[in-house]
Amino acid sequence: MTTANTTGTALLTDGVRAEATIDLAALRGNLDALRARTNGPELMAVVKADAYGHGAVHCAREAVAAGTRWLGTATPEEALALRAAGISAAEARILCWLWIPGGPWAEALRADIDISVSGQWALDELLAAVRETGVQARVHLKADTGLGRNGCQPHDWPDLVAAARRAEAEGMLNVVGIWSHFAAADEPGHPSIRLQQDAFALALAHAERAGLRPEVRHLANSPATLLLPASHYDLVRPGLAMYGLSPVPEVGAPADFGLRPVMALTARLALVKDVPGGHGVSYGHHYTTPGPSTLGLVPVGYADGIPRHASGTGPVQVGGKWYTVAGRVAMDQFVIDLGGDHARVGDEVLLFGNGEHGEPTAEDWGRACGTLSYEIITRIGARVPRRYLGASE
Ligand SMILES: *Cc1c(COP(=O)(O)O)cnc(C)c1O
């Protein structure tokens, strides 16, 4: 038995404090929508950070079942976890890009994982692991085309390319990818976009002159996948858009790109009580009831990923109506002022959903908290169980 919300959709499992519902059919639809917006490149499903809070193994399996041949993670540990969960090299290539000295190079080689290299130190450690394991590496050389984060600076690029080419000639590795990452693809017209595309073309041309023949050249994240066809090359790497959120809310809502939000977050009222006017609410009494009122206790807090910055601003829906977080978000709970409205303990609170029934979205939460929808979904904590709907198998 599940509680029905106002639209009759079963959302929250009985007896469950809070739950993140993951709509895998929406995830598949989003992958289709992204394919429809690109003309030919392979699609890499970016499943880092536990698939932006959606569950990396479930989402990776679903993406693979839907025909996606590439998965992307930040850390090698995330990539290894996907292989350990049974996603084989025959099913999907996995690229990971955030390495530190002493990282699990040998384990990654043995698990048939593609490895990003941004500098000479990383190439040295990788080659040591190649000698140790006897496994030839598949390398994606990463250029810093202007983001100023990871990636090799233009002045170091020729040396890195030459060293990789030498190792390739010795049979130690294959440079299968040349790649980079945008700084501001989510701000259409930002001058850095053109500059980075030009810098990437130069880095590629240099690598090719040096004899490298990458199988995939890749640059595009979600906003570039949606808005910059010239950046698609052989592979696009959408993260956020795959989870159905718009990376460019000022340009278009998810539906404008054929996307549907995958995660909904619900909780169950843990207490409903009448209080007199002038009653302080939650730590610090930053909210005081303006008159006699009814408070509802929502049993999720910042330990569950509800930002403390949502204090006084986060939107929720109960019985079809919006309310705002009253006072501070605490570690495990927050309060809403139901005013004169009627609600019962156990009633469902919809924090965010796909917005199709007028409920708040992760985008609304991001705006309320002065952050991005990216951060809202990714923060949802391990204490919130995920329930998967619409799996393909
Ligand atoms: C996170 C990430 C992506 C995906 O970014 P979105 O904006 O979520 O599409 C792509 N490439 C790299 C290198 C990333 O770190």
Side-chain angles (χ1 to χ4, degrees), residues 22-28 58-59 61-62 65 387-393:
I22 310 298
D23 181 352
L24 293 172
L27 184 85
R28 288 194 301 278
H58 281 88
C59 293
R61 284 222 178 93
E62 205 59 38
R387 185 158 63 98
Y388 292 91
L389 302 176
S392 60
E393 20 190 91

Side-chain angles (χ1 to χ4, degrees), residues 82-247:
L82 294 175
R83 286 282 187 253
I87 296 172
S88 71
E91 288 175 299
R93 300 276 286 276
I94 306 177
L95 171 65
C96 59
W97 50 75
L98 195 55
W99 288 87
I100 57 161
W105 305 99
E107 292 89 330
L109 289 173
R110 289 195 190 99
D112 227 329
I113 287 166
D114 285 35
I115 291 170
S116 174
V117 166
S118 286
Q120 188 62 48
W121 72 267
L123 188 60
D124 293 343
E125 293 212 357
L126 175 60
L127 290 175
V130 168
R131 284 183 209 102
E132 174 195 334
T133 59
V135 179
Q136 193 182 51
R138 283 197 306 267
V139 170
H140 298 237
L141 290 183
K142 185 169 195 181
D144 181 358
T145 54
L147 173 60
R149 204 175 65 179
N150 211 346
C152 179
Q153 277 287 304
H155 60 87
D156 291 326
W157 185 247
D159 285 347
L160 183 65
V161 164
R165 179 69 195 113
R166 276 194 304 277
E168 193 172 64
E170 289 165 16
M172 314 244 323
L173 57 79
N174 272 316
V175 176
V176 296
I178 302 280
W179 73 302
S180 190
H181 193 43
F182 278 117
D186 57 338
E187 296 177 47
H190 193 283
S192 68
I193 296 173
R194 182 78 253 158
L195 293 171
Q196 284 198 264
Q197 287 179 285
D198 292 347
F200 189 60
L202 283 176
L204 268 179
H206 178 86
E208 283 166 8
R209 272 198 312 278
L212 297 180
R213 295 291 175 266
E215 157 197 0
V216 283
R217 302 157 299 167
H218 49 110
L219 180 58
N221 55 0
S222 289
T225 301
L226 293 174
L227 300 177
L228 287 172
S231 71
H232 289 177
Y233 287 95
D234 309 306
L235 176 80
V236 295
R237 306 186 309 268
L240 190 78
M242 184 172 81
Y243 306 105
L245 295 167
S246 173

Side-chain angles (χ1 to χ4, degrees), residues 275-281 287-295 326 335-339:
V275 294
H279 203 298
V281 174
Y287 180 81
T288 306
T289 51
S293 198
T294 305
L295 301 180
V335 174
I336 53 175
D337 186 347
L338 292 158

